[in-house]
Amino acid sequence: DAGITQSPRHKVTETGTPVTLRCHQTENHRYMYWYRQDPGHGLRLIHYSYGVKDTDKGEVSDGYSVSRSKTEDFLLTLESATSSQTSVYFCAIRVAGETDTQYFGPGTRLTVL
Amino acid sequence: GDSVTQMEGPVTLSEEAFLTINCTYTATGYPSLFWYVQYPGEGLQLLLKATKADDKGSNKGFEATYRKETTSFHLEKGSVQVSDSAVYFCALSDQGTYKYIFGTGTRLKVLA
């Protein structure tokens, strides 16, 4: 257990509404990641962060933004949710000194109607 | 860019059968390689890893060897159990950006 929590765990929202998902870690790891998991696609990187206020895009970043104002929190925002963003979202951290190993949170299931 | 290719699932086996899930990769440089397992309704858990050529990762009876010459990291287990039923993901890490690339996952179903 790498001390990662995600909130909310489940959310149903309507098309066009903004949504923010939160990832919280308790161990001050520098790198944090947001992925989405969809059938047939595995995990795809949305955005990642390598420090406070330092973020970069992944392969499926369109329609998503992130913020990291504190080491322990990494927020993922859907500015205007669409049905194509219905997915399971996972946060992860990278543990330095352990050969680049990632540890994952429990996931957030988001449904956009 | 870097990529990971896994065999298509689902894979259905009887208990105590031998398991192989194939994984090949393309990468510039020398990535670390990983297998993760995902049980229903849960996040991914690290199963095993290898950091350089010829390294063998092992855990819970599962093994995988980092083969640079064939760019492969196949997952094996000598005798599967019903409790091994899950989705297995192969992944690599980019040493320069610390981004991770995942395969599409292979669902394993073990029948009693």
Side-chain angles (χ1 to χ4, degrees), chain A residues 6 21 35-38 43 46 85-90 106-110, chain B residues 38 42:
Chain A
Q6 293 184 232
L21 308 183
Y35 294 90
R36 60 178 290 173
Q37 183 178 21
D38 304 288
L43 265 71
I46 305 171
Q85 293 175 312
T86 293
S87 186
V88 180
Y89 291 85
F90 287 100
T108 294
R109 182 173 296 276
L110 176 67
Chain B
Q38 184 180 34
E42 299 184 8

Side-chain angles (χ1 to χ4, degrees), chain B residues 43-55:
Chain B
L44 278 71
Q45 303 174 24
L46 177 67
L47 182 59
L48 53 83
K49 62 188 178 187
T51 60
K52 60 184 186 295
D54 300 324
D55 268 3

Side-chain angles (χ1 to χ4, degrees), chain B residues 37-77:
Chain B
V37 59
Q38 184 180 34
Y39 299 101
E42 299 184 8
L44 278 71
Q45 303 174 24
L46 177 67
L47 182 59
L48 53 83
K49 62 188 178 187
T51 60
K52 60 184 186 295
D54 300 324
D55 268 3
K56 177 184 283 189
S58 61
N59 186 26
K60 300 180 181 180
F62 291 90
E63 294 183 340
T65 301
Y66 191 144
R67 301 287 189 198
K68 189 171 183 296
E69 64 276 13
T70 55
T71 62
S72 66
F73 192 55
H74 304 322
L75 182 68
E76 297 182 335
K77 187 175 186 184

Side-chain angles (χ1 to χ4, degrees), chain A residues 31 33 37 99-102, chain B residues 36 38 49 51 95 98 100:
Chain A
Y31 283 79
Y33 305 78
Q37 183 178 21
T99 331
D100 311 323
T101 302
Q102 279 193 315
Chain B
Y36 283 85
Q38 184 180 34
K49 62 188 178 187
T51 60
Q95 298 297 304
Y98 296 124
Y100 295 75

